[in-house]
Amino acid sequence: MDLFPEHPGSALEAALAPGGVHSVFQPIVELDTGRVVAYEALARGPEGPLERPDQLFAAARAAGRLAELDELCRAAAFRGAVEQGLLAPLTVFVNVEPEVLDSAPLDDLLAIAEGAPRNLRVVLEITERALAARPAELLRTVERVRSLGWGVAVDDVGADSMSLAFLPLLSPDVIKLDLRLVQDRPGPAVAEIMNAVNAHAERTGALVLAEGIENEEHLATARALGATLGQGWLFGRPGPGAAPGLPAGELVLAPAPAAAAVDTSPFGCLPAGVPLRRSVKSLLIELSKQLEREAMRLGETCVVASTFQEARHFTPSTIQRYRDLVERTGFVCALGEDLPVEPLPGVRGAALDPSDPVRGEWDVVVLSPHFSAALLARDLGDDGPDLERSFEYALTYDRATVIRAAHALLTRVVPRTGAALPAAPQRPAHTSTAPSAAPDRLHIGPDGDTLLRSALAATTSGVTIADMRLPDQPLIYVNDAFETLAGLSRDDVLGRNCRFLQSPDTDPAAVARIRAAIDRGEECRETVLNLRGTDREPWWNEIHLAPVFDSDGVLVQYIGVQHDVTARVLAERALLQERDRNRAFLTRIEELAYTDPLTGLPNRRRLEEQMETALWDARSGSDTVALLFVDLNGFKAVNDELGHAAGDELLQAVARTLRTRLRRGDLLSRLGGDEFLVALPGLAPESAATEARRVADDLSAAVGVEMEAAGREVRISASVGVAVYPADGEEFGALLHSADMDMYARKSSRRGLVPR
């Protein structure tokens, strides 16, 4: 009886039912002693279509039930570990899905921990993606996890540069290297990752764990990379419980770092006795710019966290610099009074409490694996010109202080998912809500200045005036040009707040900056998306707003000067689209130049380039490389009898078959017609010829099975020739010729025996 119908919803319901999910456990060993010190809990669904974890989690994600599944998996991991006796001195590694941290309450994530047995030792695995999405909650979660006596591991380090940027903030007990670092050849990216990982491990005592160790070569690479722990099929595949025959030991973690003080501001992170300097704002601007330049030099492994006191200090020039920071660094946040939760696309923010000390600070924190610096300043409250305001500040390079300051800011950052913009700030108390008796020079009423009216009416720019003394600040004047821009008559707009002209798709950050400027009584310039006429046609409005004050200094009106810049905005967007399209075309052209269009395999040109690299490595190293020439027997008969479409289908099936029989680092290409080439790098010189022949025979046997073409079962075979560097040639051309000759010799020896 089929317990799991093909319908994916039924299969998912079965998986989420009690007992539907269980855990298997893969050993983690101490490389020097071979002792098993921990097991990683890996989720498995019930027998059926969702047994594999990738399919199980994909189905739950599509159904919006990922958090429910993640909680069941953790419960199954804890329950299975206890039932299988995986208790102290052993440790169990348990994963948390990053997407769950975007939405699930963190109390729910840790609820089961309170009832876990005390002799169940746990290391919680997280990824840098979780911190990027929900930094404040995750940092607090890490602190709570450590308060339970658990450890913290960062998974897949090296898969993304951001994982290196966040290592100092998470201070993990275990750093799990992405398996490609062990299984791929070393290169500049691997060197960058290992420099960062080893520096952090040396500073903190964190353990380095290498995943994906499948053979002795991988093990040697893991040791060379600085790993002291290992995981992979060489030590054991996932099983229901403890791996038999392996000695057990204890996973000894470095002492956990001290928990950060709650609600500490960056300036408050300065140690007692640090000398403070005093300076005007102009110097702090230059110091901030220098730290920003340093951050851009550091690149994607860098975190930048800043405070601006008030939104008005996030000026157009600052906006441009922070756009560049988003493009070139790993994570950027900017906090300040009235700054939205996303001041710019990619820049994270916060909804600050009115009493938050961050509102009175000027901070720029730059943190990366090999560099740390922070400008931490506090406003002294001077009056006078803005650039002459005084601050007391410290410029520190002490790593512990910089980490605490960065932690203080990231614990305030609002989650990325579902974040709402804060409400518009309240109007200052001094602003009158009733019409003022005192006239101002620019007030336009029935008896207003005729000359000024004529000038405003004649200008080609749209001009509006809003009365700030009346409820909802209605428009009291619009000129002819604005009527044309808005597509409405003045009778349709006078007496209304101009917000009704805005499109719901306009940038909320731009709207927030306009509100903030108006509440402070300052001028501002923004580009917003408006709607024209009764048809609500969208157009881009570059608006400049300027305040008007009466003789008592009370804000009475705002003048808006507007221009239709739709053509410019569309041209800028078209240029960006054209740039992206050209890049895509160039990528496709390069792909076509190096790829066989039928099978998707690299062509001879690409294989020749890859072989040159392999031969170069062989000349300078201790291993060698072999080249295999694969020629199909009986293919022409299939092609002639069933047609070219069937022949193409058969070639594609052969390509898939060959690929499945090769190692990850082996190279496969289509030479043309029914001929393929295979390169086997990294062979031991003393056994290279034997190993290459073994692979050749394996490929020949794999191709010799029945395959389907045009709905019929057909059978072909393959003759495979072998050439090994340097015995059969020292260059690609010579090796290709030798392999070709060997293939023909083998074909000739079995002529007449090839099955049809």
Side-chain angles (χ1 to χ4, degrees):
M1 179 179 177
D2 186 6
L3 297 177
F4 297 96
E6 293 185 0
H7 191 277
S10 301
L12 181 60
E13 290 297 337
L16 297 177
V21 176
H22 68 282
S23 286
V24 293
F25 299 90
Q26 185 172 31
I28 295 172
V29 305
E30 203 170 49
L31 297 184
D32 286 343
T33 65
R35 297 184 305 170
V36 177
V37 294
Y39 286 87
E40 180 175 4
L42 303 170
R44 294 291 185 269
E47 183 178 349
L50 300 185
E51 182 175 6
R52 286 174 41 185
D54 55 343
Q55 296 173 344
L56 175 63
F57 277 85
R61 185 179 292 107
R65 303 181 70 177
L66 188 62
E68 182 180 351
L69 173 62
D70 191 63
E71 183 178 353
L72 289 174
C73 290
R74 265 192 317 283
F78 293 141
R79 183 175 59 249
V82 173
E83 291 173 354
Q84 296 296 327
L86 304 181
L87 304 174
L90 292 171
T91 298
V92 178
F93 281 60
V94 180
N95 295 280
V96 175
E97 278 294 303
E99 295 167 66
V100 172
L101 287 169
D102 283 355
S103 56
L106 296 176
D107 287 341
D108 293 350
L109 297 181
L110 297 175
I112 196 169
E114 306 296 340
R118 294 301 94 189
N119 56 347
L120 176 63
R121 302 181 61 188
V122 177
V123 169
L124 190 71
E125 292 190 29
I126 56 178
T127 72
E128 83 288 340
R129 287 178 295 152
L131 183 55
R134 204 176 180 93
E137 283 78 358
L138 185 57
L139 288 173
R140 286 195 287 269
T141 300
V142 168
E143 293 174 4
R144 289 187 58 191
V145 164
R146 288 204 164 103
S147 71
L148 295 170
W150 292 6
V152 175
V154 177
D155 198 9
D156 298 333
V157 171
D160 192 302
S161 295
M162 193 178 292
S163 60
L164 304 179
F166 285 137
L167 281 182
L169 291 163
L170 289 173
S171 193
D173 305 287
V174 181
I175 301 171
K176 297 189 70 175
L177 302 180
D178 186 63
L179 59 85
R180 71 181 179 88
L181 300 180
V182 170
Q183 298 184 353
D184 292 353
R185 283 189 174 274
V190 174
E192 178 188 43
I193 294 163
M194 293 319 303
N195 272 325
V197 168
N198 282 291
H200 182 77
E202 184 178 47
R203 278 193 295 261
T204 65
L207 301 178
V208 179
L209 189 162
E211 296 183 286
I213 300 178
E214 298 177 0
N215 53 45
E216 293 295 333
E217 182 182 354
H218 294 163
L219 176 58
T221 302
R223 292 181 184 275
L225 293 175
T228 58
L229 302 174
Q231 183 179 0
W233 287 3
L234 181 64
F235 308 116
R237 301 196 178 195
L246 294 179
E250 181 181 1
L251 179 67
V252 180
L253 303 178
V262 179
D263 296 331
T264 300
S265 71
F267 190 86
C269 292
L270 288 169
V274 170
L276 298 177
R277 307 171 190 175
R278 187 165 180 158
S279 173
V280 295
K281 179 179 177 178
S282 55
L283 174 61
L284 299 189
I285 291 175
E286 297 307 319
L287 292 176
S288 299
K289 290 179 180 178
Q290 176 56 36
L291 289 178
E292 293 163 6
R293 287 191 291 268
E294 187 68 26
M296 285 191 280
R297 185 186 66 80
L298 294 167
E300 294 181 352
T301 62
C302 183
V303 169
V304 181
S306 302
T307 63
F308 289 87
Q309 293 187 281
E310 301 172 6
R312 63 190 177 96
H313 300 311
F314 202 63
T315 62
S317 62
T318 306
I319 289 171
Q320 185 56 55
R321 298 201 311 274
Y322 273 70
R323 283 198 180 107
D324 295 339
L325 284 170
V326 169
E327 291 291 327
R328 297 174 61 177
T329 63
F331 183 90
V332 183
C333 67
L335 285 62
E337 183 177 349
D338 297 336
L339 270 178
V341 294
E342 190 176 14
L344 288 173
V347 176
R348 307 294 298 284
L352 297 177
D353 187 88
S355 62
D356 196 319
V358 163
R359 289 173 174 254
E361 293 187 10
W362 178 329
D363 306 303
V364 180
V365 181
V366 175
L367 181 61
S368 76
H370 306 296
F371 180 86
S372 56
L375 170 65
L376 308 177
R378 181 165 57 192
D379 195 337
L380 294 177
D382 294 349
D383 295 328
D386 186 58
L387 291 178
E388 298 302 318
R389 291 190 298 120
S390 295
F391 293 78
E392 58 178 356
Y393 78 96
L395 186 62
T396 179
Y397 302 91
D398 177 69
R399 191 168 185 82
T401 302
V402 175
I403 290 173
R404 287 196 299 270
H407 190 283
L409 290 181
L410 264 67
T411 53
R412 290 168 162 83
V413 170
V414 171
R416 180 174 56 208
T417 302
L421 288 170
Q426 295 298 311
R427 190 159 308 284
H430 69 267
T431 303
S432 174
T433 58
S436 171
D440 64 274
R441 290 178 297 165
L442 292 182
H443 179 73
I444 307 254
D447 300 322
D449 184 74
T450 304
L451 180 61
L452 181 56
R453 279 177 168 276
S454 299
L456 292 176
T459 182
T460 57
S461 301
V463 178
T464 60
I465 299 178
D467 194 326
M468 307 306 293
R469 302 163 298 181
L470 297 177
D472 206 30
Q473 298 89 46
L475 295 175
I476 60 171
Y477 172 83
V478 297
N479 69 348
D480 295 344
F482 180 79
E483 288 185 281
T484 302
L485 288 175
L488 298 169
S489 70
R490 54 175 40 89
D491 292 336
D492 294 322
V493 298
L494 291 179
R496 303 175 67 181
N497 186 290
C498 61
R499 73 171 69 92
F500 83 96
L501 297 169
Q502 291 178 4
S503 165
D505 296 326
T506 200
D507 182 7
V511 175
R513 288 192 294 270
I514 291 174
R515 288 175 178 169
I518 291 174
D519 284 341
R520 291 190 300 268
E522 297 174 348
E523 63 179 283
C524 66
R525 185 186 301 273
E526 293 288 346
T527 300
V528 295
L529 186 62
N530 279 5
L531 298 173
R532 176 180 290 128
T534 55
D535 294 335
R536 310 293 280 171
E537 173 194 359
W539 63 286
W540 288 96
N541 181 8
E542 184 180 73
I543 181 170
H544 177 222
L545 296 174
V548 179
F549 300 92
D550 66 11
S551 57
D552 295 327
V554 175
L555 178 65
V556 291
Q557 293 175 341
Y558 252 98
I559 296 180
V561 180
Q562 292 143 89
H563 299 91
D564 186 343
V565 293
T566 304
R568 187 192 75 194
V569 172
L570 295 180
E572 291 171 350
R573 294 188 170 190
L575 285 173
L576 291 175
Q577 292 175 350
E578 188 63 27
R579 181 197 64 185
D580 294 341
R581 189 180 297 112
N582 288 339
R583 288 177 177 173
F585 285 154
L586 290 173
T587 301
R588 181 58 180 159
I589 290 170
E590 182 178 0
E591 180 183 332
L592 292 173
Y594 287 98
T595 304
D596 172 49
L598 176 63
T599 63
L601 295 175
N603 58 18
R604 170 178 170 167
R605 180 180 176 188
R606 172 53 59 87
L607 182 75
E608 185 171 356
E609 289 184 359
Q610 294 172 324
M611 272 292 291
E612 290 298 332
T613 301
L615 290 170
W616 178 269
D617 291 341
R619 294 186 191 102
S620 58
S622 58
D623 54 13
T624 189
V625 60
L627 184 66
L628 278 55
F629 194 117
V630 182
D631 182 76
L632 304 183
N633 305 312
F635 172 76
K636 185 175 185 302
V638 173
N639 207 40
D640 292 344
E641 180 181 351
L642 301 181
H644 290 293
D648 289 347
E649 187 179 346
L650 183 58
L651 288 173
Q652 292 168 340
V654 170
R656 290 193 297 270
T657 298
L658 294 176
R659 179 72 271 174
T660 62
R661 310 300 296 183
L662 298 173
R663 301 172 302 173
R664 179 179 299 187
D666 294 338
L667 310 174
L668 172 65
S669 78
R670 183 183 175 206
L671 185 61
D674 58 356
E675 296 173 337
F676 296 83
L677 293 177
V678 175
L680 305 175
L683 300 178
E686 62 275 9
S687 59
T690 302
E691 177 65 13
R693 187 70 259 163
R694 183 194 67 77
V695 174
D697 293 342
D698 181 58
L699 295 180
S700 180
V703 172
V705 302
E706 285 192 345
M707 298 184 185
E708 184 175 314
R712 291 176 51 182
E713 297 293 331
V714 298
R715 186 183 292 274
I716 59 174
S717 65
S719 298
V720 185
V722 174
V724 180
Y725 167 88
D728 300 318
E730 297 188 1
E731 302 293 342
F732 174 75
L735 288 170
L736 179 61
H737 178 72
S738 296
D740 193 10
M741 292 299 98
D742 186 48
M743 181 274 296
Y744 271 110
R746 294 180 180 278
K747 184 185 287 284
S748 299
S749 68
R750 58 177 295 171
R751 185 159 292 162
L753 301 178
V754 177
R756 294 182 298 169

